[in-house]
Amino acid sequence: MSEWSSPVLYLIKPNGKSRLVCDYRKINAVTPDASLQLPTIDEIHDLLHSSKVLTTVDLDAAYHNIEIPPEDYKYSSFVTPDSQLVYKTIPQGSKRSPAAFCQVAKYIFDEFIISRLGYSSSF
């Protein structure tokens, strides 16, 4: 059993479905903040001001597709009444999850922007 295992509970969403929620407060209390510099509106405007086409990307399930290294599984551990489990992808509720997701998205979209449009972002 991992010393970092977190308790879980089920919450009822407004649509009546339930959601599994991991209580990561114990590990979040000792996890250093992730420093992540987000682009300003001016930087985004400067990058896109001469674009002819603007599109959106559906990232609904993208968050749960980013794998975490096996040596870090112990930090995503959670316990249910029946067993102990681990997330193998970035869990919601972990302090550094949003920054990790943004870093991956930045890497992917920077490569796309540079290869397709010839731009290089500074953020």
Side-chain angles (χ1 to χ4, degrees):
M1 181 177 231
S2 170
E3 68 273 17
W4 296 108
S5 63
S6 300
V8 295
L9 57 123
Y10 281 96
L11 296 179
I12 304 300
K13 300 190 301 185
N15 65 6
K17 294 182 179 181
S18 62
R19 173 185 293 174
L20 178 75
V21 178
C22 294
D23 183 0
Y24 286 117
R25 288 181 288 186
K26 176 183 165 186
I27 191 167
N28 285 344
V30 296
T31 302
D33 289 335
S35 62
L36 177 66
Q37 181 182 354
L38 295 175
T40 65
I41 296 296
D42 290 335
E43 289 173 323
I44 293 170
H45 180 266
D46 290 346
L47 181 65
L48 299 175
H49 79 280
S50 63
S51 297
K52 304 288 186 223
V53 176
L54 185 64
T55 188
T56 60
V57 177
D58 182 6
L59 297 175
D60 185 39
Y63 201 85
H64 295 289
N65 287 309
I66 300 172
E67 294 179 2
I68 58 175
E71 62 269 16
D72 291 340
Y73 287 171
K74 63 185 174 192
Y75 301 117
S76 72
S77 173
F78 60 94
V79 287
T80 68
D82 301 322
S83 60
Q84 178 178 4
L85 305 164
V86 296
Y87 277 105
K88 293 183 178 183
T89 60
I90 294 178
Q92 289 192 354
S94 176
K95 188 175 189 177
R96 297 186 78 144
S97 294
F101 177 77
C102 287
Q103 287 173 331
V104 170
K106 179 189 178 315
Y107 173 78
I108 292 168
F109 290 113
D110 270 0
E111 290 298 314
F112 174 79
I113 289 169
I114 291 168
S115 67
R116 303 290 178 141
L117 304 176
Y119 294 118
S120 178
S121 69
S122 59
F123 45 85

